[in-house]
Every structure is written in C-alpha cells, then in structure tokens.
C-alpha cells in the first residue's frame, strides 16, 4: 500500500494492530505503536487506543496495556478500551486487577459496561471467588436488561456462581 503511494489512516492502523495482536506479532505492533504515537493518533482516536490496549493485553504485556490505557484521557476512554483491559487481566489470571479495573470503570462513569464487559468481569469474579462482586454485577445486568437472550452472558453468570460455590 505504501509502495503505491497510499499512507495508512486510523482505520488501517487499527486493522494492522488488531492483526498483530491476533497473530502475536508484538515486535511489529510496537513499531506501529511508535508511528501512531508520533502522529498523535493514540490520544485523538479511541479506536487506535483500544486496539493498542487489546494488542498488548492479548500478548500478555499487561503493564504496556495499562500504560496505553492510562495515556488515554478519561473522556476518550470508551467501553471497548475498558473491556480490552479488563479482558486482558482476566484472560491472564490477574482477576483482582480485572475487578479493580471494573470498579474504576464504574467510578469514572464515562462508559457503561456492555454484555462483553460483564462476561469478562464475571469470569474474573468466578476465578477469584468474589461472590459479592459477582452478585453486584448480576444486579446491574438485570437492571440494564442485558441478560435477555444473550446465552454467553447467561453461561458466564452460571459459571461464576458455580465457581463461587
């Protein structure tokens, strides 16, 4: 693309970063991270920031994921960014940090958790045996009418309660 004279835009960078995270090409992802930082896209484009957080989290570079997350100003953090970080912590067994991140999401109040967010946090609650936090999440899910026909969320609730005894 670049050889043909076309420069990447934010969507192109997001797609490349997502691919780097999916195939574990962290070195190439870091190079692209430097480029998007140089262009000021991390702060100005929430999709770039979310994709960077996701790429680092998938690669188990959670400190880097947290660093990118922290560099994004509060108004530019969206639920995708929050969920990428929470999921990264959960998937790599850092359940207490996932729960703390979820609590920070609630305190900040700039984004509302969605079904995907709740699936990740319920998994963290089950693994950490954090029954009370899991119950609080269940209440929010019911209040927001998210349970409906979402079988993945329903299974996450069942799994959390089972793991908590």
């Amino acid at each position: 693309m670049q050889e043909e004279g076309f420069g990447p835009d934010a969507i192109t960078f997001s797609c490349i970063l997502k691919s780097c995270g999916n195939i574990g090409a962290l070195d190439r992802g870091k190079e692209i991270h430097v480029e998007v930082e140089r262009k000021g896209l991390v702060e100005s484009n929430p999709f770039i920031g979310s994709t960077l957080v996701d790429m680092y989290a998938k690669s188990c570079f959670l400190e880097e994921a947290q660093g990118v997350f922290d560099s994004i100003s509060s108004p530019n953090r969206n639920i995708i960014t929050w969920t990428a970080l929470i999921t990264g912590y959960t998937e790599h067994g850092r359940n207490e940090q996932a729960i703390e991140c979820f609590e920070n999401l609630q305190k900040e109040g700039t984004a509302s958790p969605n079904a995907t967010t709740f699936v990740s946090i319920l998994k963290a609650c089950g693994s950490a045996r954090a029954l009370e936090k899991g119950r609080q999440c269940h209440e929010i899910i019911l209040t927001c009418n998210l349970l409906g026909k979402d079988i993945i969320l329903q299974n996450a609730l069942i799994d959390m309660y089972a793991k908590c005894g």
Side-chain angles (χ1 to χ4, degrees):
M1 181 178 108
Q2 289 176 317
E3 287 175 8
E4 301 239 349
F6 298 100
D9 61 7
I11 294 170
T12 308
F13 281 124
S14 286
C15 292
I16 294 168
L17 289 167
K18 182 145 184 77
S19 295
C20 288
N22 287 340
I23 65 171
L26 189 61
D27 289 339
R28 184 66 179 128
K30 286 180 178 182
E31 291 172 13
I32 295 164
H33 182 181
V34 169
E35 190 171 345
V36 296
E37 283 281 354
R38 189 174 45 80
K39 292 180 180 242
L41 293 174
V42 176
E43 181 59 36
S44 66
N45 189 303
F47 296 110
I48 296 283
S50 296
T51 309
L52 276 167
V53 170
D54 184 61
M55 179 194 71
Y56 284 120
K58 282 182 178 170
S59 302
C60 198
F61 283 82
L62 297 169
E63 285 72 24
E64 287 82 354
Q66 183 71 58
V68 171
F69 180 86
D70 291 342
S71 75
I72 301 168
S73 66
S74 178
N76 288 333
R77 293 179 189 157
N78 59 28
I79 195 56
I80 298 167
T81 312
W82 282 100
T83 302
L85 189 59
I86 291 167
T87 301
Y89 281 132
T90 301
E91 293 301 317
H92 295 291
R94 292 170 66 177
N95 301 304
E96 287 78 15
Q97 285 174 292
I99 293 168
E100 181 181 326
C101 187
F102 182 77
E103 289 170 349
N104 290 336
L105 161 65
Q106 292 178 297
K107 285 177 195 167
E108 191 171 284
T110 57
S112 297
N114 60 25
T116 305
T117 313
F118 282 115
V119 167
S120 289
I121 198 60
L122 288 169
K123 182 176 180 182
C125 289
S127 296
R129 310 295 190 267
L131 179 59
E132 191 52 41
K133 179 50 82 176
R135 283 183 174 152
Q136 290 170 6
C137 289
H138 189 178
E139 286 299 317
I140 297 168
I141 290 165
L142 292 173
T143 301
C144 296
N145 200 26
L146 291 175
L147 204 51
K149 296 180 182 180
D150 193 325
I151 192 91
I152 297 170
L153 185 54
Q154 293 169 6
N155 286 338
L157 272 167
I158 293 167
D159 187 62
M160 183 275 299
Y161 282 120
K163 284 181 178 174
C164 290

